[in-house]
Amino acid sequence: MTFSSELFLFALLPILLASMLLNQNQRNTQQVMILLANICFGLWSGFGGLVLILAMTGGTFLLVRFWILPGERGRLALTITLLCLPLLFFKYTAFLIGNVNALFRISLSVPDLMLPLGISFYTFQAISLVVDVYRGEVCEVRFREVLLYLTFFPTVTSGPILRFTPFREGLASPVRYRDWNGALFRFVLGLSKKVLIADRLALLADYYFDGIAAGGSYSAAGLWLGSIAYSLQLYFDFSGYSDMAIGIG
């Protein structure tokens, strides 16, 4: 599910916004609604990915609650290693097996692993929380806060990586009406960049890149045009996503 998909724009987002407006003075209820939205967003990418992020959340909470101590470098290093293991497994298992097969001329089967949604970002956010506890900047955490922090759907797919303390303060801060106006403007701006600019530039970039892959030949001006279109597509796609994530957040 993407922020520009019809399911998100006409189902998940309106339901979430309506529930937030109806419960403006009930922070606990709002946090429950955000958590439900996080779960729905995660389920869309697959049940296995949701189970992994929930397991990662539980493990991170136990580590920062009962294991990490300020100033204990050995425990910090071991914890970071443990948190990185799922990311390394899903991202580099096929790469390592492929290299072993090439090096020793064997044919080990390469597992077909799908990279779970947002695993890089919530892994690094978990490490960020661990480091904050190690430094003594975070002294007490609750499981609900860690769960919301690691599964927060506006940032779980492409970031940015959030710090735990500002995120927790945001959960507790009161909602102001001017925030809604700024959020709506920022979201519409990002959606326009994505749909009206990036997606249109993609057609032009794909025309040249697919044509070259198929053996076609183009003038120097055409190649420059395709390259510039691709560069601008990447910029407006990520800039639009960032604006939408900020607006939703």
Side-chain angles (χ1 to χ4, degrees):
M1 187 188 305
T2 63
F3 295 157
S4 58
S5 66
E6 294 180 356
L7 179 62
F8 180 77
L9 290 175
F10 300 110
L12 181 59
L13 184 59
I15 292 173
L16 177 61
L17 292 180
S19 65
M20 297 293 281
L21 281 169
L22 292 172
N23 298 280
Q24 288 191 71
N25 299 319
Q26 302 178 39
R27 302 304 289 167
N28 289 334
T29 303
Q30 287 185 336
Q31 291 178 19
V32 170
M33 298 307 301
I34 294 172
L35 179 58
L36 290 175
N38 295 346
I39 292 174
C40 291
F41 206 86
L43 275 175
W44 190 255
S45 66
F47 182 75
L50 178 62
V51 171
L52 179 61
I53 193 173
L54 292 178
M56 190 81 163
T57 299
T60 301
F61 172 75
L62 292 175
L63 288 168
V64 298
R65 184 71 174 81
F66 301 107
W67 172 253
I68 291 294
L69 296 174
E72 289 283 349
R73 291 188 178 182
R75 294 192 178 198
L76 175 66
L78 179 59
T79 300
I80 292 176
T81 301
L82 291 174
L83 292 176
C84 287
L85 288 179
L87 175 62
L88 295 174
F89 173 77
F90 283 100
K91 204 164 188 177
Y92 296 108
T93 295
F95 173 78
L96 291 175
I97 294 179
N99 279 275
V100 169
N101 287 341
L103 182 61
F104 297 101
R105 297 182 179 180
I106 55 180
S107 57
L108 297 175
S109 60
V110 179
D112 185 18
L113 298 174
M114 180 180 294
L115 194 65
L117 176 71
I119 186 172
S120 297
F121 290 97
Y122 63 72
T123 296
F124 293 136
Q125 285 205 164
I127 293 174
S128 173
L129 174 57
V130 166
V131 172
D132 284 345
V133 174
Y134 164 78
R135 291 175 174 173
E137 297 176 5
V138 175
C139 299
E140 183 179 350
V141 296
R142 292 185 293 179
F143 178 74
R144 182 176 62 180
E145 294 172 339
V146 177
L147 181 59
L148 288 167
Y149 174 63
L150 294 185
T151 63
F152 192 52
F153 77 88
T155 60
V156 74
T157 55
S158 300
I161 297 171
L162 305 175
R163 297 294 297 272
F164 180 76
T165 298
F167 180 82
R168 179 164 59 180
E169 292 172 351
L171 289 177
S173 64
V175 178
R176 297 166 296 184
Y177 281 106
R178 67 172 179 267
D179 293 335
W180 291 93
N181 296 330
L184 179 62
F185 173 80
R186 197 67 179 265
F187 181 81
V188 172
L189 176 64
L191 184 63
S192 301
K193 288 180 180 179
K194 166 64 178 172
V195 176
L196 300 180
I197 301 178
D199 289 353
R200 302 284 75 80
L201 288 169
L203 300 176
L204 181 60
D206 290 345
Y207 171 79
Y208 286 100
F209 278 79
D210 292 344
I212 292 173
S217 59
Y218 301 96
S219 65
L223 296 176
W224 271 107
L225 181 62
S227 299
I228 293 172
Y230 182 63
S231 300
L232 291 175
Q233 175 202 344
L234 292 180
Y235 170 79
F236 282 106
D237 191 88
F238 189 71
S239 176
Y241 165 83
S242 299
D243 285 331
M244 286 188 284
I246 292 170
I248 297 168

